[in-house]
Amino acid sequence: MSRARIEDVWPLSPLAEGLLFHADFADQGPDVYVSHRVLDVSGPVDPERLKASWEVLLARHAVLRASFQRRKSGAPMQVIARRVALPWRVEDLSGLDPDEAEKRAEELADAARAQRFDLGVPPLLRLVLIKLAEDRHRLVVTSHHILIDGWSMPVLMGELAAV
């Protein structure tokens, strides 16, 4: 990442150092530190507004733009990017038979969870909005635990609702 794209460099907390160690050590197969939330949303959803709301959160919270690098010495650091593109995908399954749509939605969610993060490339967050019907959607939020933990996710979701 070029210096022009870097906003800041932070040290790692002891917990983050441990998570980075595990990510480096177990770099094959499923990553047990991938956090995965699947949210069912009833009622109409404006995908562009929802995406824009997530982009506001990315801009607001530097930690959501963090990647994890190593200095030449090998010491770990968090590198905060000035801007990152939100990994956002919309899948419209509303034209499928409801059972088939449900099966396909589960496959999409499973695939999102199975995809490993490269901790050196921000953001460590991915979103898939699945349209099941006009008034039924599923939002798949996948992140790495080094970025968002179980305590901060509800706070982030509350901010998302407010935005």
Side-chain angles (χ1 to χ4, degrees):
M1 185 178 311
S2 73
R3 288 189 191 274
R5 295 185 57 216
I6 296 173
E7 180 175 301
D8 209 347
V9 176
W10 297 346
L12 271 66
S13 69
L15 177 60
E17 281 192 48
L19 291 170
L20 184 61
F21 169 80
H22 284 285
D24 288 346
F25 182 73
D27 62 352
Q28 302 294 315
D31 186 341
V32 296
Y33 294 107
V34 168
S35 174
H36 189 70
R37 306 272 189 303
V38 179
L39 308 164
D40 286 320
V41 182
S42 297
V45 171
D46 180 342
E48 289 307 311
R49 180 176 282 180
L50 183 58
K51 179 183 179 191
S53 298
W54 276 100
E55 288 171 335
V56 166
L57 296 179
L58 268 179
R60 180 181 292 170
H61 297 289
V63 71
L64 295 179
R65 300 186 310 275
S67 64
F68 296 82
Q69 314 285 331
R70 294 202 177 271
R71 297 181 186 277
K72 288 179 185 175
S73 68
M77 61 183 167
Q78 288 185 70
V79 177
I80 309 302
R82 286 191 195 288
R83 284 181 231 42
V84 293
L86 178 69
W88 173 263
R89 217 169 100 203
V90 177
E91 294 285 339
D92 187 350
L93 306 180
S94 63
L96 299 177
D97 167 78
D99 289 338
E100 181 62 29
E102 192 62 40
K103 180 181 177 210
R104 180 72 182 119
E106 287 178 22
E107 290 169 355
L108 289 167
D110 290 346
R113 178 156 186 10
Q115 184 182 356
R116 293 182 68 89
F117 283 98
D118 176 347
L119 299 187
V121 180
L124 304 178
L125 169 73
R126 291 188 296 266
L127 298 138
V128 180
L129 179 64
I130 303 168
K131 181 178 180 178
L132 297 166
E134 278 306 312
D135 62 347
R136 226 176 116 228
H137 293 76
R138 188 162 292 156
L139 180 62
V140 179
V141 181
T142 308
S143 61
H144 198 280
H145 187 68
I146 200 169
L147 186 72
I148 303 170
D149 63 14
W151 291 98
S152 54
M153 183 57 84
V155 173
L156 191 65
M157 297 308 288
E159 278 193 46
L160 177 69
V163 169

